[in-house]
Amino acid sequence: MPELPEVETVCRTLREPLVGRTISAAVVTWPRTVEPLDPGDFTARVSDATVDAIERRAKLIVARLSTGDTLTTHLRMTGKLLYTRHGATPPEEPERHLRIAYELDNLDMLEFFDARKFGRVRLHTAEEWDDVSASYGPEPLDPDFTSDWLYQRLRATTRQIKPLLLDQKFIAGIGNIYADEALFLARIHPLKPANTISRRKAEALHQAIVSVLSQAIANAGTTLRDYRSGSGAIGMNKPNLNVYGAPPGTPCPRCGARLKRLVVGQRGTTICPRCQRLR
DNA sequence: CACTGAGCCTGCTAGC
DNA sequence: TGCTAGCAGGCTCAGT
């Protein structure tokens, strides 16, 4: 599941080949991918647009277009945005998973594959994009995400800490993998009400979030099964995971107790019951 | 406000 | 071996 580090890696791998290129044509093969636009409108609005910049906001791959529109791609679970040079071997993806194909002015291709069809590609006007961007919480790797900010915000809500970390309006870019990893490192139980977390623990959580995300970016993301960068490469961060995806009963890498699996906010969650106490 | 559940989807796998 | 039921999960929306 692509989260902040994976999306950041996709942006970094797409930036060099894509910036400065003009989209000469686009084909939408699964209309819901571009909702609420219909495929004809989408195609018309991206055709002949030049990519001025590639940025990341939360889990969105953001392409600034010369038309003033902002093109965003959300990979959700199984989306892949793959760049292929003209004449190079095409991606090893089943053709039936192709949802959008963009042809560029140099005949290179940018293709959006998505097995489960959850991914979304949208076009926003400048004003719309400002609103969308403002609806997200702070970027955890930006300087305005401080431990003091986190502590003050935790104090203001009774919500359980894990669903709170997954709330993109609270903090942008964290998903199931890095929420579990950060809570494990900070030794916080995922069900703990936010307003009962001490200043000390909030500092630990802040540090854990930053280090877990930075490390994953340094390793080009975590590939469990589907994730690929813009060039089709897998991520190398999986060996750094402490708890996510570990079968119940696996020894805790820190204390040796048996890891436990629970469901929090309808999501699979792995914790060490000894390191992460509710009280 | 906090939380729950349904819906969107299909590939994979556990269990028969 | 072959089949099927159920799980996985980010996000949105409706309901309690």
Side-chain angles (χ1 to χ4, degrees), chain A residues 155-169:
Chain A
R155 278 205 330 179
T157 178
T158 62
R159 294 173 67 185
Q160 299 165 342
I161 186 62
K162 181 172 175 182
L164 188 62
L165 292 180
L166 294 176
D167 183 348
Q168 302 299 298
K169 292 189 273 307

Side-chain angles (χ1 to χ4, degrees), chain A residues 45-239:
Chain A
R45 268 174 70 179
V46 297
S47 292
D48 298 322
T50 299
V51 179
D52 289 338
I54 298 288
E55 300 160 3
R56 180 190 58 75
R57 174 73 172 116
K59 300 177 194 171
L60 293 173
I61 300 156
V62 179
R64 306 285 201 158
L65 303 182
S66 57
T67 54
D69 283 339
T70 296
L71 176 68
T72 63
T73 303
H74 197 310
L75 304 174
R76 293 286 180 92
M77 255 89 81
T78 55
K80 302 171 191 178
L81 196 55
L82 299 175
Y83 193 93
T84 306
R85 309 238 176 223
H86 180 55
T89 315
E92 295 176 36
E93 295 294 322
E95 199 62 23
R96 68 180 185 282
H97 292 168
L98 180 66
R99 308 303 172 203
I100 303 180
Y102 306 89
E103 188 194 60
L104 306 170
D105 55 349
N106 61 355
L107 301 183
D108 288 359
M109 296 289 293
L110 179 67
E111 293 169 303
F112 180 64
F113 292 92
D114 186 16
R116 280 190 204 157
K117 300 177 174 174
F118 277 18
R120 289 293 174 260
V121 174
R122 299 215 156 101
L123 272 171
H124 309 275
T125 63
E127 306 77 54
E128 287 167 349
W129 172 244
D130 286 346
D131 290 345
V132 170
S133 185
S135 72
Y136 286 104
E139 288 289 334
L141 298 181
D142 278 0
D144 53 341
F145 177 65
T146 62
S147 66
D148 193 57
W149 178 91
L150 182 61
Y151 177 60
Q152 297 304 334
R153 291 296 310 272
L154 293 181
R155 278 205 330 179
T157 178
T158 62
R159 294 173 67 185
Q160 299 165 342
I161 186 62
K162 181 172 175 182
L164 188 62
L165 292 180
L166 294 176
D167 183 348
Q168 302 299 298
K169 292 189 273 307
F170 185 77
I171 311 183
I174 297 175
N176 212 24
I177 299 174
Y178 301 108
D180 275 13
E181 293 297 316
L183 290 170
F184 171 78
L185 285 185
R187 303 179 190 237
I188 297 171
H189 194 286
L191 293 174
K192 193 163 173 59
N195 64 348
T196 67
I197 293 172
S198 67
R199 174 155 228 139
R200 193 184 197 84
K201 283 284 190 187
E203 283 166 10
L205 180 58
H206 173 266
Q207 208 217 302
I209 290 169
V210 172
S211 81
V212 146
L213 296 176
S214 306
Q215 178 177 240
I217 290 174
N219 289 298
T222 300
T223 296
L224 299 168
R225 175 179 297 145
D226 296 302
Y227 165 70
R228 295 291 183 279
S229 77
S231 57
I234 62 170
M236 304 305 284
N237 193 59
K238 192 173 169 184

